[in-house]
C-alpha cells in the first residue's frame, strides 16, 4: 500500500519559502472573513451564487454550503422548526427590490411566520452545523415587507443562544440585524425566529454567516486501499473495498483508477460495491483509490495486485474470485467462481457449495456486465474468507454466482442447474452439502427450484431466501411440502417494512411449510426483521454475525444424509500388530487420531510415524506407556491437538508410535514398513503426505528406512531425524541378507529433510553431522534443513518437537504439513 496526498509541490529556496508564507498568510486572512450567503423564500427566483432555501418545511436541508467565492464547504443548513406552511412552499414575495446590500432576487421575497389565513405559526428555527469548534462567527439577518400599511408592527426577533436582536421588516430597504461574537455549540449555531409581542408577522429573507477567526484548514481525507494482493491464476478477478476517513468528518467520494500494469483489466465500481477488476493476466497491476471530501480536498492510496502463475500446490492466501462462462439451454451464462483458500491443499477433500441468485437489477449477458452482481451478493468480494469451525474442523465453501440473462424477467431452472452441473463436473463438491441462497428475485428462485421436482429437491441440502417468498403450484396444487418431504432445510429472511416485495410473501411460504404433514424436520427458521426495508441482504449474509445468527455456520450443519459423528479431542489408543518380515514379531503401538477425524468420511489425513529412543524400549503391552515419556508422544499425552492452519485450512495428523522390545538392538526398516502398511489399510491416509521422525535410536531408524531402498524413500514426503542418524554401509534383513544402504535415495526421491541435533552432543552428534555431509554430496541437490542448537548435548528433541514457536518458525509440525510428494 502506497499512500500519497495531492498537495502543493515541494518548493526550494528562502525566497520561495517567504512567498509561500505570504500566500498562506493571505489565504488565512481571507478565510478569516469567509462569508456564506443564504437566500430564504426564493420561490420567485433564486439568487445565483447563493445558497437558496426554496421551501420552509421542517427538515429542509442544504448540504455543503458554498461560500461567497463559490467554494464548497462541509457546512449544512437545516430548518428544524418550519416557517408558516399554510401551503407548500409558502413565502412572501413583497419584499424590496431597492436594497443596496443584497441583490433584488434575495430581498424581494422571504419565509415568514405569523397569524395568516387563520393559522398561527409564531416560531421558526434554522440550524447551521459543521462549523469550526474553535471559530468565532457573526450572523447578519435581513427581511423586508413592502406595504401601504404604515402602522402594523412587523418586528422580527432573531436569537442565537443568549443573544437576540430585533428587525422591523415593514418597508425595510437597508437595515440589518446582526449578532456577533458567536461561538458554536458542538460545531453548530441555531437561529430562532419569533415575533415581537404585538407584531403580526415576522420574516427572514437573507442570512449572512461570517467566519472571523479560529479557522481550521481543511485537511484532505485519508483513503485506505488495503493491503497489496497476490492473485494466483487461473483466478482472474479481484475485488477491493474502499475505506477512508476525513479529519473534519465530511462526506467522502471514492474513485478507482488503474495506474500501471497490463491493459487488460476491466474496472467496475459503483457507490454500493468495491472495485472489481476482472480479466486480469499475469503481471503486476497498481490501482489508485482517490478520496475527495466535500470541500474538494483529495488524497490517494495505491494498492498493488500481483497476478502470478499457480504452482498447482498449496493455495492462495485469499479466497479466489474467477470470472467464467458456461453455455446452457443455448444461453451463455456469465458467473463468478470463488474457491476457498486451502482448496488445493488436499486434492481428495470435498467442499460445500453455495449457489447465489441475485436480484432483478443485476441482470446482464456480457463479461462486462457481470461485476454488477457483486453489489448485493454474498460478501466474497469484501475479502471475507467464509471460514468457520464446524465439529472441530475449519470449513468453508465453494461459491458460484451466476448472472441472469437480461432477456429473462424471472430466473429459470436451467441457470441453477448449470451451476450445479458445472460444480459437480469441474470442482470437488460435497454432494450432501449443496445450498441455494438468493435475494429478492433470486429469493423467488431459491424457494422455487426445489419445489418444482423431486430431482431438484434431492440436489439441495438447504435454502436461504432473503427478501422474497414464493409458493410454487402445479395444476393449482401447492408444491411447498416437497421441501419437507425431501428434507430441504430452510432459513428465510425478510423485513416487515419492505415496500418492494411484501413481507407477506415470505410469511405465506413459511406458514405454509409449517402446515405440511409430516412437519418439516428441522422446522424452518425465519428471521423477520422488525426494522429495515428491502435491502436486508447485508444483514442476512453478514459473515461476522454471531453463531446464533450466522447463516454460513447454519448452512455448514445442514446435509442431505445423516449428520457426521461429533468431533472428539485427539485420541490416544494402545494397539498391537505383528511384523511378518521380522519373524512375525509382535509389537505394540499407540494410535492417535486427530480432532475431526470422524466428521468427513471422505477426508484423507497426513501421517506421522514416530520412532522412540533407546530408553523407551519395552514389551509392547504393560511397558508401552514408556513411549509416552518424551518428545512427540509426551506432547500428545499432555493434550496437544497438533492442529495448525496451513494455507487457510486447519490440519492435523494421524500419528502412529510403535515400541520395539528391549532385546531389539534398533529400528529396522521393516518396522517402519509395517506401520505404513497398517496406516494405509486401516485409516484414511493421504499417501502423498507421509512423514517419518524419531529421536536418537529413532533418528537412526528414521534415516535408515529411506536409505534401505529407493522404493522406501518414494513412500515418504519428509523425514525429521533428531539426535542421530544411521551410520554404516549395510542393513541386514532376514529375507535379503546384507543390503547396502544409499543416502542419495533420499535426494533422488525428493524427500524433504530436517535434521536436528545439539552442537555439544558427544554421544551421537557425529552421526547426524556425517549424515548431513553424505546427503549434501548427493545429486540432485537435496531439500535439506539443519538445526544445530548451540550449548545443547544429546537432547535436541526437546526443542525439535516443541508445538509452539519458541525454537523455530514454522515449527516442525507446520513444516511437515506443507510437504507433499508430487
Amino acid at each position: 500500500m502506497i499512500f500519497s496526498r495531492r498537495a502543493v509541490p515541494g518548493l526550494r529556496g528562502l525566497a520561495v519559502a517567504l512567498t509561500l508564507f505570504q500566500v498562506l498568510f493571505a489565504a488565512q486572512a481571507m478565510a478569516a472573513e469567509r462569508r456564506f450567503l443564504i437566500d430564504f423564500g426564493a420561490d420567485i427566483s433564486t439568487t445565483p451564487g447563493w445558497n437558496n432555501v426554496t421551501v420552509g418545511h421542517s427538515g429542509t436541508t442544504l448540504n455543503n454550503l458554498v461560500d461567497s467565492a463559490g467554494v464548497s464547504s462541509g457546512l449544512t443548513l437545516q430548518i428544524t422548526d418550519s416557517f408558516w406552511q399554510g401551503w407548500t412552499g409558502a413565502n412572501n414575495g413583497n419584499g424590496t427590490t431597492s436594497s443596496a446590500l443584497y441583490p433584488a432576487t434575495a430581498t424581494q421575497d422571504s419565509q415568514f411566520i405569523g397569524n395568516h389565513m387563520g393559522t398561527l405559526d409564531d416560531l421558526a428555527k434554522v440550524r447551521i452545523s459543521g462549523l469550526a469548534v474553535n471559530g468565532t462567527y457573526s450572523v447578519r439577518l435581513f427581511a423586508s415587507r413592502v406595504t401601504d400599511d404604515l402602522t402594523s408592527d412587523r418586528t422580527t426577533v432573531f436569537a442565537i443562544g443568549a443573544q437576540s436582536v430585533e428587525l422591523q421588516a415593514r418597508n425595510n430597504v437597508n437595515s440589518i440585524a446582526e449578532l456577533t461574537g458567536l461561538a458554536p455549540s458542538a460545531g453548530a449555531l441555531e437561529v430562532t425566529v419569533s415575533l415581537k409581542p404585538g407584531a403580526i408577522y415576522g420574516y427572514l429573507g437573507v442570512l449572512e454567516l461570517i467566519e472571523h477567526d479560529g479557522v481550521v484548514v481543511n485537511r484532505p481525507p485519508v483513503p485506505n486501499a488495503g493491503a497489496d494482493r497476490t492473485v494466483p491464476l487461473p483466478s482472474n478477478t479481484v475485488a477491493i473495498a474502499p475505506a477512508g476517513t476525513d479529519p473534519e468528518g465530511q462526506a467522502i467520494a471514492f474513485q478507482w483508477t488503474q495506474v500501471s500494469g497490463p491493459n487488460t483489466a476491466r474496472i467496475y465500481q459503483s457507490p454500493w460495491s468495491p472495485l472489481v477488476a476482472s480479466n486480469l493476466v499475469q503481471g503486476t497491476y497498481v490501482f489508485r483509490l482517490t478520496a475527495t471530501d466535500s470541500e474538494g480536498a483529495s488524497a490517494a492510496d495505491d494498492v498493488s495486485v500481483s497476478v502470478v502463475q499457480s504452482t498447482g500446490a498449496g493455495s492462495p492466501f485469499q479466497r479466489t474470485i474467477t470470472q467464467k462462462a458456461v453455455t446452457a439451454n443455448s444461453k451463455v451464462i456469465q458467473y463468478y467462481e470463488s474457491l476457498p483458500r486451502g482448496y488445493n491443499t488436499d486434492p481428495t477433500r470435498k467442499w460445500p457449495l453455495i449457489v447465489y441468485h441475485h436480484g432483478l437489477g443485476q441482470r446482464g449477458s456480457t463479461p462486462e456486465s457481470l461485476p454488477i452482481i457483486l453489489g448485493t451478493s454474498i460478501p466474497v468480494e469484501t475479502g471475507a474468507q467464509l471460514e468457520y469451525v464446524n465439529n472441530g474442523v475449519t470449513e468453508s465453501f465453494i461459491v458460484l454466482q451466476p448472472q441472469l440473462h437480461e432477456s429473462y424477467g424471472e430466473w429459470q431452472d436451467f441457470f441453477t442447474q448449470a451451476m450445479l452441473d458445472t460444480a459437480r463436473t469441474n470442482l470437488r463438491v460435497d454432494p450432501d452439502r449443496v445450498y441455494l441462497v438468493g435475494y429478492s428475485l433470486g429469493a423467488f428462485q431459491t424457494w422455487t427450484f426445489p419445489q418444482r421436482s423431486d430431482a431438484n429437491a434431492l440436489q439441495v441440502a438447504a435454502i436461504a431466501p432473503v427478501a422474497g417468498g414464493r409458493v410454487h403450484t402445479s395444476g393449482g396444487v401447492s408444491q411447498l411440502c416437497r421441501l419437507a418431504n425431501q428434507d430441504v432445510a430452510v432459513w428465510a429472511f425478510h423485513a416487515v417494512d419492505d415496500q418492494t416485495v411484501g413481507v407477506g410473501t415470505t410469511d405465506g411460504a413459511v406458514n405454509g411449510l409449517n402446515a405440511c404433514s409430516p412437519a418439516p424436520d428441522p422446522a424452518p427458521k425465519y428471521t423477520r426483521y422488525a426494522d429495515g426495508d428491502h435491502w436486508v441482504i447485508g444483514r442476512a449474509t453478514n459473515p461476522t454475525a454471531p453463531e446464533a445468527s450466522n447463516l454460513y455456520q447454519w448452512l455448514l450443519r445442514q446435509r442431505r444424509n445423516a449428520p457426521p459423528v461429533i468431533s472428539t479431542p485427539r485420541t490416544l489408543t494402545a494397539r498391537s500388530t505383528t511384523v511378518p518380515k521380522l519373524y512375525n514379531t509382535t509389537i505394540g503401538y499407540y494410535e492417535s487420531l486427530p480432532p475431526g477425524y470422524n466428521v468427513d468420511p471422505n477426508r484423507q489425513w497426513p501421517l506421522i510415524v514416530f520412532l522412540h529412543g533407546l530408553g523407551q524400549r519395552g514389551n509392547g503391552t504393560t511397558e508401552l506407556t514408556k513411549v509416552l515419556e518424551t518428545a512427540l508422544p509426551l506432547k500428545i499425552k499432555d493434550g496437544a491437538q497438533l492442529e495448525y492452519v496451513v494455507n487457510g485450512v486447519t490440519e492435523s495428523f494421524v500419528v502412529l508410535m510403535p515400541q520395539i522390545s528391549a532385546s531389539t538392538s534398533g529400528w529396522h526398516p521393516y518396522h517402519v514398513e509395517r506401520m505404513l502398511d497398517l496406516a494405509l489399510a486401516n485409516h484414511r491416509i493421504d499417501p502423498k503426505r507421509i512423514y517419518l521422525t524419531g529421536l536418537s535410536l529413532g533418528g537412526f531408524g528414521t534415516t535408515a528406512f529411506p536409505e534401505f531402498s529407493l522404493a522406501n524413500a518414494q513412500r515418504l514426503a519428509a523425514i525429521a531425524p533428531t539426535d542421530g542418524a544411521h551410520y554404516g554401509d549395510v542393513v541386514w534383513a532376514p529375507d535379503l541378507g546384507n543390503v547396502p544402504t544409499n543416502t542419495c535415495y533420499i535426494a533422488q526421491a525428493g524427500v524433504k529433510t530436517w535434521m536436528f541435533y545439539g552442537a555439544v552432543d558427544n554421544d551421537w552428534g557425529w552421526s547426524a553431522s556425517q549424515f548431513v555431509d553424505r546427503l549434501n554430496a548427493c545429486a540432485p541437490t537435496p531439500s535439506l534443513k539443519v538445526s544445530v542448537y548451540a550449548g545443547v548435548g544429546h537432547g535436541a528433541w526437546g526443542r525439535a518437537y516443541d508445538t509452539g514457536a519458541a525454537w523455530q518458525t514454522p515449527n516442525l509440525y507446520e513444516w511437515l504439513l506443507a510437504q507433499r510428494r508430487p
Side-chain angles (χ1 to χ4, degrees):
M1 180 176 71
I2 305 170
F3 181 76
S4 63
R5 289 185 174 180
R6 304 291 180 267
V8 177
L11 302 177
R12 298 179 180 178
L14 178 59
V16 177
L18 290 173
T19 301
L20 177 61
F21 175 80
Q22 293 168 356
V23 170
L24 292 176
F25 182 83
Q28 290 193 357
M30 287 189 295
E33 289 292 334
R34 193 177 189 189
R35 300 165 66 232
F36 297 86
L37 299 163
I38 300 105
D39 177 9
F40 287 82
D43 190 52
I44 297 172
S45 60
T46 60
T47 303
W50 284 42
N51 303 279
N52 292 275
V53 180
T54 60
V55 177
H57 289 294
S58 293
T60 297
T61 302
L62 295 182
N63 291 314
N64 297 322
L65 301 183
V66 296
D67 64 16
S68 57
V71 178
S72 178
S73 72
L75 304 189
T76 296
L77 179 144
Q78 184 176 50
I79 297 177
T80 56
D81 192 321
S82 69
F83 291 85
W84 191 87
Q85 290 296 312
W87 65 82
T88 300
N91 58 77
N92 190 296
N94 295 321
T96 183
T97 59
S98 303
S99 175
L101 299 175
Y102 303 111
T105 52
T107 60
Q108 67 185 342
D109 58 355
S110 60
Q111 293 291 333
F112 68 93
I113 57 175
N115 194 338
H116 189 66
M117 299 177 65
T119 301
L120 176 64
D121 186 348
D122 60 356
L123 189 74
K125 293 182 179 180
V126 177
R127 178 182 174 86
I128 302 176
S129 57
L131 304 174
V133 294
N134 61 340
T136 302
Y137 295 83
S138 293
V139 172
R140 294 172 182 166
L141 304 126
F142 176 88
S144 175
R145 170 63 166 93
V146 176
T147 177
D148 293 334
D149 179 2
L150 302 180
T151 61
S152 61
D153 190 356
R154 298 172 189 263
T155 301
T156 308
V157 179
F158 303 102
I160 299 178
Q163 295 190 53
S164 65
V165 66
E166 297 179 358
L167 177 68
Q168 173 60 265
R170 186 185 66 239
N171 296 328
N172 180 35
V173 177
N174 287 320
S175 295
I176 61 170
E178 186 169 9
L179 299 165
T180 62
L182 301 171
S185 175
L189 295 173
E190 186 166 67
V191 183
T192 299
V193 183
S194 62
L195 297 175
K196 183 179 179 180
I200 61 172
Y201 286 107
Y203 307 85
L204 177 57
V206 171
L207 187 154
E208 182 179 357
L209 174 71
I210 305 170
E211 185 178 54
H212 291 287
D213 52 27
V215 176
V216 176
V217 177
N218 180 43
R219 292 166 290 174
V222 181
N224 183 0
D228 294 342
R229 307 285 189 91
T230 298
V231 176
L233 294 170
S235 185
N236 61 5
T237 303
V238 67
I240 308 173
T245 58
D246 185 78
E248 289 78 38
Q250 300 180 51
I252 304 174
F254 293 111
Q255 179 69 35
W256 286 97
T257 54
Q258 182 178 343
V259 177
S260 63
N263 61 2
T264 63
R266 289 194 289 262
I267 295 180
Y268 173 85
Q269 57 189 320
S270 74
W272 57 85
S273 72
L275 162 76
V276 179
S278 60
N279 202 40
L280 304 181
V281 298
Q282 186 172 356
T284 299
Y285 298 78
V286 175
F287 298 104
R288 174 165 295 161
L289 174 64
T290 300
T292 305
D293 67 18
S294 54
E295 291 191 41
S298 67
D301 187 23
D302 294 349
V303 61
S304 173
V305 177
S306 298
V307 182
V308 300
Q309 286 290 343
S310 173
T311 62
S315 278
F317 293 107
Q318 300 291 329
R319 169 176 283 276
T320 68
I321 309 176
T322 307
Q323 187 169 342
K324 294 191 171 184
V326 65
T327 300
N329 203 32
S330 301
K331 291 290 183 184
V332 177
I333 303 173
Q334 306 292 332
Y335 70 97
Y336 280 119
E337 170 195 279
S338 180
L339 301 180
R341 57 180 182 177
Y343 180 81
N344 292 324
T345 299
D346 183 350
T348 65
R349 182 175 180 179
K350 296 184 177 180
W351 298 80
L353 168 69
I354 292 175
V355 178
Y356 174 80
H357 302 83
H358 62 71
L360 181 66
Q362 288 76 54
R363 294 175 300 167
S365 59
T366 65
E368 289 75 17
S369 70
L370 183 61
I372 195 174
I373 74 173
L374 293 179
T376 59
S377 73
I378 285 179
V380 295
E381 80 279 2
T382 64
Q385 300 304 315
L386 304 184
E387 293 174 353
Y388 306 92
V389 176
N390 182 43
N391 287 332
V393 176
T394 298
E395 297 200 87
S396 189
F397 308 85
I398 296 168
V399 182
L400 299 185
Q401 303 177 77
Q403 185 173 44
L404 178 62
H405 199 280
E406 59 193 356
S407 62
Y408 288 88
E410 292 266 5
W411 282 94
Q412 306 295 313
D413 281 2
F414 76 83
F415 285 92
T416 306
Q417 192 62 54
M419 293 298 100
L420 300 180
D421 293 343
T422 295
R424 281 192 291 260
T425 302
N426 301 314
L427 301 168
R428 297 192 307 278
V429 172
D430 183 345
D432 286 335
R433 294 201 286 174
V434 173
Y435 315 116
L436 305 184
V437 180
Y439 167 64
S440 192
L441 185 70
F444 300 158
Q445 174 67 2
T446 301
W447 277 107
T448 305
F449 181 83
Q451 292 184 56
R452 282 203 176 100
S453 69
D454 287 347
N456 283 6
L458 289 170
Q459 298 180 82
V460 179
I463 63 172
V466 182
R470 178 167 288 178
V471 177
H472 176 66
T473 60
S474 178
V477 178
S478 169
Q479 302 299 301
L480 190 63
C481 289
R482 178 174 276 120
L483 299 178
N485 296 336
Q486 299 300 341
D487 298 321
V488 178
V490 176
W491 190 352
F493 302 81
H494 215 132
V496 296
D497 294 329
D498 190 339
Q499 301 300 309
T500 304
V501 177
V503 70
T505 61
T506 301
D507 291 346
V510 173
N511 292 337
L513 186 56
N514 278 321
C516 291
S517 181
D521 183 20
K525 289 170 63 72
Y526 186 13
T527 298
R528 197 173 188 268
Y529 298 110
D531 60 342
D533 53 20
H534 192 58
W535 294 88
V536 295
I537 181 68
R539 294 167 67 179
T541 62
N542 178 12
T544 61
E547 182 175 0
S549 57
N550 191 296
L551 171 62
Y552 309 101
Q553 290 177 272
W554 177 81
L555 288 175
L556 287 171
R557 294 191 292 270
Q558 314 307 314
R559 61 174 61 226
R560 291 291 319 164
N561 295 314
V565 176
I566 300 300
S567 172
T568 58
R570 172 172 286 279
T571 65
L572 184 62
T573 307
R575 301 191 184 280
S576 66
T577 187
T578 60
V579 184
K581 290 185 177 181
L582 293 178
Y583 312 106
N584 284 318
T585 301
T586 298
I587 62 171
Y589 67 96
Y590 280 109
E591 165 201 280
S592 181
L593 302 180
Y597 181 82
N598 293 323
V599 171
D600 183 350
N602 298 309
R603 182 174 181 179
Q604 292 186 327
W605 296 82
L607 169 69
I608 292 177
V609 174
F610 172 83
L611 308 180
H612 61 69
L614 183 70
Q616 286 76 52
R617 294 178 298 171
N619 60 19
T621 54
T622 59
E623 296 177 329
L624 184 60
T625 55
K626 295 173 68 175
V627 172
L628 305 177
E629 291 176 350
T630 189
L632 172 58
L634 177 61
K635 301 292 186 184
I636 293 175
K637 175 190 172 186
D638 289 343
Q641 301 302 303
L642 302 184
E643 288 186 309
Y644 299 92
V645 177
V646 176
N647 289 326
V649 175
T650 299
E651 296 203 84
S652 190
F653 312 84
V654 172
V655 183
L656 299 185
M657 298 161 281
Q659 184 183 49
I660 55 175
S661 69
S663 61
T664 303
S665 59
W667 290 98
H668 195 281
Y670 289 163
H671 288 124
V672 178
E673 179 184 83
R674 178 57 180 158
M675 287 295 104
L676 300 187
D677 293 344
L678 196 68
L680 290 167
N682 297 325
H683 302 294
R684 298 190 308 277
I685 302 301
D686 183 346
K688 294 184 180 297
R689 302 173 81 192
I690 294 176
Y691 316 118
L692 181 61
T693 184
L695 66 90
S696 191
L697 187 67
F700 303 163
T702 297
T703 53
F705 177 76
E707 290 178 317
F708 188 73
S709 70
L710 181 61
N712 280 5
Q714 290 170 337
R715 300 187 73 174
L716 302 175
I719 60 174
T722 81
D723 298 278
H726 173 255
Y727 59 95
D729 298 327
V730 299
V731 170
W732 181 84
D735 55 337
L736 299 175
N738 287 327
V739 176
T741 56
N742 186 349
T743 304
C744 290
Y745 290 150
I746 296 172
Q748 293 167 18
V751 179
K752 311 299 191 303
T753 303
W754 192 351
M755 167 62 79
F756 302 83
Y757 66 97
V760 292
D761 182 355
N762 296 321
D763 295 322
W764 297 106
W766 61 270
S767 66
S769 63
Q770 285 186 3
F771 168 80
V772 169
D773 292 340
R774 293 198 308 272
L775 186 55
N776 274 326
C778 293
T781 302
S783 176
L784 173 64
K785 286 169 60 80
V786 181
S787 292
V788 182
Y789 300 117
V792 174
H794 193 64
W797 64 78
R799 299 184 180 186
Y801 293 106
D802 182 74
T803 56
W807 301 108
Q808 46 264 332
T809 303
N811 65 32
L812 172 60
Y813 312 100
E814 292 169 314
W815 178 81
L816 289 174
L817 285 169
Q819 312 310 317
R820 172 189 296 273
R821 289 204 60 78

